[in-house]
Amino acid sequence: MSYDLNPHDAYRRLTFIRKFEEQVLELGKEGHVAGSVHLCLGQEAIPVGAMSVLEPGDKVLATYRGHGWALACGADPLALMAEIAQRADGVNGGRAGSPMLSVPDVGFLGENSIIGAGLPIAAGVAMAQQTRNTGRVVLTSFGDGALNQGGTTEAMVFASTRNLPVIFVCENNGWSEMTPISATTRGEHLARRGQGLGIDSHVVDGQDPVAVADAVKDAAETCRAGNGPVFLEFKTTRLSGHYNKDVQHYRPAEDIDAAQRQDPLLRLREIERIADADAERIETEVAAEIASLAEQVRGMPAPDPSTALEHLYADAATAPQADTTATTKEIPFFRAVNLALQHALDRDDDVLVYGEDVGFAGGIFGVTRGLQKQFGQDRVFDTPISEAAILGSAIGAALEGMRPVVEIMWADFVFVALDQIVNQAANVRYVNRSKMSAPIVIRMQQGVTPGSCAQHSQSIEAILSHIPGIKVGLPATPQDAYAMTLAAIDDPDPVVLIEHRSMYQDTGEVALAGSTETASAAVERRHGDDIAIVTWGAMVASALDAAERLSDNGIEATVLDLRWLRPLDDAAIENVVRRCRRVVVAHQATQTGGFGAELSARISEMQHVDLLHPVIRVGTPDVRMPSAPSLQDALVPTADTIIDAVKRAMTE
Ligand SMILES: Cc1ncc(C[n+]2csc(CCOP(=O)(O)OP(=O)(O)O)c2C)c(N)n1
């Protein structure tokens, strides 16, 4: 933004946020706001001071208590109030409401209703600025309680390691919901956390907009000079309850009194000697302005219910033209992924490839070998062991138009950072009605191999496929490893690609033809009319093996490789079901709640299909995965298990 902070202007800006929030409270009482709102009463000087010195093009990601930040960034107050009241003309069309709103046009990339989750994303936004050498800085604000989130520390470690131009703004109001900071956090100054991570860190009076502005100005200069990040702890106060209906039964009266004595509006009047008459005039003018906004919001319509399904994904793209002059090579699966990444890095400077051990060493399975040497450490790099920071930074970089491809070393590890996929990446397009999107690719490998333990064996595709807003693919051949990786990178939405460790050395013919397809479509690997084996990933080979052996016994099976579980190729499934009328669904994941259950349900819901046998699911029984190969062999489905299931379906 950048504006003059003379005392009267500053007072007007603080008053505007104060009265805006009080009006929101009123609208809530009148029944115009569904759910809760979290007001920034008492904390107004922080956004007002900070945004007076940031420049157009700088970016802000705020705490969920972020109305003041959106206003200070220059958002239209009417559209903002309309969003808080979930109206059609709100900044997010009523999809975000109070705690997730965003106004990217003014550099306000959004609040976050998951405590601390915005910091890794902010680090990624900053990484994009650094990579593109824009000279822009990123400010992310969060509460004192958020500092105790793992992802917060991960983001600071990530930003510190990479010298990212990000200003971490901790708004320390002494409370986390209903719990005082003294009950959860040791030590007086939270800025010491930043220091401990090697970050330039300061404690600042958050009730004085001029002190805030000075601190943020210095921090921005540090970042612009390439010496970021900076951590600023602003001591502030919460003048209201945690949320609009909080009666603060837990809060001592003296704490409330002390907070009121620190009211930034009173402080500014005292420090700058603003005459009572001037202050009152400003307050009257602002009150009239805010009242008029509220009057308009009261009359605004709710969003049209018929639009509720829109903007989950970008509209379907058409498949790209293959390079017909391309060579075909016999290569292993891992090398096929490597060549796809190489192709993407080569043709597009916005592609980044990173993760744990991904850069110099080339990944623990060699998938990214040689890429750092070829494309440099800025584009292919190693990260701290910080999965939330890996995923969140990818989202942030993608918001800025980059195309990050990140690796989660083992699928089992994604659980420590699932928030960044489920609550963050999956929401971006929908909440922003396609004004922002997060086209990231997350690669991971999964499954059972001899000796892999319960924490290195799980097949997690059903968990991820459950999440609307992301896509999930499982390549089963070297050709698909190449083509699906490129399709994922080309895709305008977040994509998870799950490889199976046991397949990395499998070889096959791969046409190195660049992008040839979109992230969609199943493939019939074998044709037969007696029974359909529907499968994906590592079980495709077992299903084909089973089908060949069944053929010797006169049973002709179709093997349908789904390839993508989201989007699911319903037409291909329906086609084989109608033709064969007997279906076995096979996966290596455990049975209950596995993706086979979803397929079985869909098949049972198909109209006018006269199945000759109920769908049979083949999967690992519901148990933890033991490490001993003999125990694993007793559990993991094979071609034999599929043959048994087919025989049951044929005879029972
Ligand atoms: C990951 C996560 N855990 C818990 C919550 C519930 N919650 C919402 S606000 C809040 C308190 C946050 O305190 P702080 O970070 O100090 O911010 P403040 O409320 O003071 O602005 C909590 C625990 C949440 N939204 N996200």
Side-chain angles (χ1 to χ4, degrees), residues 46 170-173 188-190 203-207 233-237:
I46 303 172
C170 178
E171 302 189 48
N172 182 357
N173 63 16
E188 192 187 349
H189 297 308
L190 303 178
V203 180
V204 184
D205 178 359
Q207 303 307 82
E233 177 192 357
F234 291 111
K235 304 284 190 194
T236 185
T237 54

Side-chain angles (χ1 to χ4, degrees), residues 47 60 62 66-76 80 101-103 106 108 111:
V60 173
H67 304 165
W69 284 101
L71 287 168
C73 283
D76 170 15
L80 210 58
L101 50 82
S102 57
V103 195
V106 297
F108 185 67
E111 301 173 301

